[in-house]
Amino acid sequence: MKIVDLQPIPLVLPLPEAFLGGTYVIKARNTLVVRVVTDDGVVGETYGGDEDLYQDEIVRVITDYLRPMLLGQDPFMVEALNETMCSLPIDLGNRGLHALDLARHAIRMQAIAAVDIALWDVLGKAAGQPLYKLLGGFRETLPVISIGGYYSKDGSTTALADEVAECKARGVAGLKMKVGRATLTHDLERVRVVREAGGPDFVIACDANQGWSVADGIAFGRAVAPLNIAWLEEPVAWYDCVEGLRRVREATGLRVTSGQGEVSRQGMRDLIVRGAVDIINTDVTMVGGITQWRKIAGLAECFDLTIGHHEEPQVAAHLLASSPRGGYVEIFANRKRDPLWYELPEHPPRIAGGLYHVPQGPGLGLPLNQEVITRCRK
Ligand SMILES: [Mg+2]
């Protein structure tokens, strides 16, 4: 089997309202479709990533560097292809102000990830197996929660109870809510509102989006503990994301989640071996794709960590379902926050009774709606 064509197709869909997280605002859903055509008729077609600033650069890396390298290659040699993509000389201009040039590295790794995930879709389709079974299947369903609990513009908490009701109506088991933007007192009150609305069995996680100092992370973690949260995500600012997380984890006894900001398996390695996290939420669309994800997951399993994920559940569910340590799948129960998850697949995955049913078709098992691709094409 040989790759005869590879096309990146950037999509953007403005959201009907802005969503305020711990440290950011989301106004549009961006993503990247990658279509891989092979000489025996198998076509991989996946989507993932939510990059606004650097989307054009990611497309350029795929078009100018990765595509020429991949044409004529055997997609089943995916380890070799990923290794070559990681070491390929790619000109991304002068080095930036950031000491680690992180944006440039992230552009490369997102481009590789988009291609790599589409290659794995090809492998699943060629084998006639859903991706999670190709990776070594562990289970067909996963517990699922919603990402939400964004901040209202007027600071009120009244919408939170409605959001809990929406989660229950959608059949998800809980809510991962935003903290880190307001005062600690107000954030605690917001969690209290969700606990009261959801009841004792409703799963609550808190995501600060790197919004706090270590001291604030510890203070919030100790205060929120009686409200029984499943985990505290990215409690510490970007410059202290290994040692600082470890300190919060040890001081609060809470399960700490991080990893979504890392773009390399080596960054994930450091989180794992230095005791910074209980749950790693790798973003497979950021770290170089499924080929890199497998190495991270293997190391995390050796340390008995839970394997979470960051966004793009259409890919992540297969990955979590292939691991004995797979945790919650996360979706957006509010359709306005991620309209593409509902519209882009011809048939979105089934969610019911707090469980996400992993699609059983070959590859990702999610044929994409071509009308939506045409309509949202950048
Ligand atoms: Mg997060």
Side-chain angles (χ1 to χ4, degrees), residues 176 207 209 233-234 260 281 310:
K176 184 171 88 177
D207 187 353
N209 300 134
E233 185 163 317
E234 289 200 317
Q260 68 182 77
N281 69 337
H310 175 247

